[in-house]
Amino acid sequence: MINIQQPGFAAAPGIYTNFPAGISSCTLNEGDYVIDGAGMILYLSAFTAKVTAVSVLAGGVSYDFQVYFEDGTGEIPDDPQPGDDPQPGELTPATYHGSEVIAVSGTDVTFTWSITRNADATLTFELKWSSDIVGSVPQVCINGAFTTMPAQERVARFTTTATFVDGTTLNDTFFYMAYAGDAARIEITGYTVGASNDEPRPSAIENIYNESRTHKVIENGMLYIIKNGIRYNALGVEMK
């Protein structure tokens, strides 16, 4: 809520309020409000009760609130207890995972990534890599706009300040790892906001296969992996 005003698109004074995305509906009676994109006027004449419940749908998110009129009729309802209902506009976090193996300076590196749609409709991007990359500068390109991601050891995260409507498909979106003399691009174009899947959990064998200088042998019906001259069984346990 911002203040009481009467902009050019309003027929009378009202409460002006705006939302993160375009407004599609309001539960007040028709004629009790006027919409202008992501902003709206709630006409003062709509509020005769002491408390009036209002729900506004903006960008696919429902915002529920109450308007209190001190001189209105009726009683004030009991306050709901904390935790009874989700907060207005709150979403259940949803995470989508992916992975890709890319040669970096001649060595295969496994990149794993995730995008989480948060409860406040922002997005958190996370990128991890399986081995050290000299001079690494991780970035994320979202709809064509680059941002350098704050990084720690082999992991980088970035949370947007902008909000995204569920069902929106991100185009021209990817992770970009610049490093000494070259760069790697991890494609994520086509991600749909709100999508989720299970986090990939590669087996011990797959982890060993992805590392350099490894090969497998079968002896007496048993599978072994030899890495850097050391023999491992199929579970990745070193054989003495």
Side-chain angles (χ1 to χ4, degrees):
M1 186 177 298
I2 297 177
N3 55 26
I4 295 174
Q5 55 179 265
Q6 186 178 354
F9 64 86
I15 301 168
Y16 177 72
T17 182
N18 60 13
F19 298 87
I23 300 165
S24 54
S25 66
C26 175
T27 55
L28 291 178
N29 293 326
E30 187 174 353
D32 285 342
Y33 64 91
V34 59
I35 296 172
D36 183 49
M40 68 187 305
I41 289 287
L42 311 174
Y43 291 130
L44 294 178
S45 57
F47 305 106
T48 57
K50 194 172 290 289
V51 176
T52 302
V54 183
S55 181
V56 174
L57 188 65
V61 178
S62 179
Y63 297 87
D64 305 313
F65 56 95
Q66 296 178 331
V67 177
Y68 172 73
F69 178 32
E70 185 175 7
D71 296 329
T73 60
E75 300 295 328
I76 300 176
D78 293 335
D79 291 334
Q81 295 300 310
D84 283 354
D85 297 297
Q87 295 299 310
E90 182 175 323
L91 299 170
T92 301
T95 302
Y96 192 87
H97 303 270
S99 64
E100 187 172 353
V101 178
I102 298 177
V104 175
S105 300
T107 301
D108 284 347
V109 176
T110 300
F111 291 91
T112 57
W113 55 267
S114 65
I115 306 174
T116 300
R117 191 282 320 281
N118 301 308
D120 60 359
T122 60
L123 298 178
T124 296
F125 292 79
E126 180 179 87
L127 178 67
K128 297 180 180 179
W129 48 100
S130 61
S131 58
D132 292 334
I133 301 175
V134 177
S136 59
V137 179
Q139 296 177 297
V140 61
C141 178
I142 306 171
N143 287 336
F146 279 87
T147 298
T148 298
M149 302 174 69
Q152 298 177 348
E153 185 176 357
R154 299 186 187 179
V155 61
R157 295 183 187 88
F158 169 71
T159 299
T160 66
T161 55
T163 56
F164 295 81
V165 177
D166 268 10
T168 300
T169 299
L170 299 188
N171 295 310
D172 197 13
T173 299
F174 51 88
F175 293 105
Y176 189 81
M177 174 68 79
Y179 57 91
D182 208 343
R185 173 168 167 156
I186 301 93
E187 192 68 54
I188 54 177
T189 290
Y191 160 76
T192 300
V193 176
S196 63
N197 63 359
D198 292 331
E199 183 176 3
R201 298 183 180 278
S203 68
I205 295 177
E206 291 170 332
N207 281 334
I208 294 173
Y209 286 168
N210 282 335
E211 296 185 30
S212 61
R213 298 184 299 279
T214 65
H215 63 278
K216 62 182 179 180
V217 295
I218 298 177
E219 294 179 1
N220 299 322
M222 298 293 293
L223 173 67
Y224 298 94
I225 296 93
I226 299 176
K227 174 178 178 290
N228 296 333
I230 301 175
R231 182 184 297 250
Y232 300 85
N233 66 14
L235 297 179
V237 177
E238 181 180 349
M239 304 298 293
K240 302 297 185 180

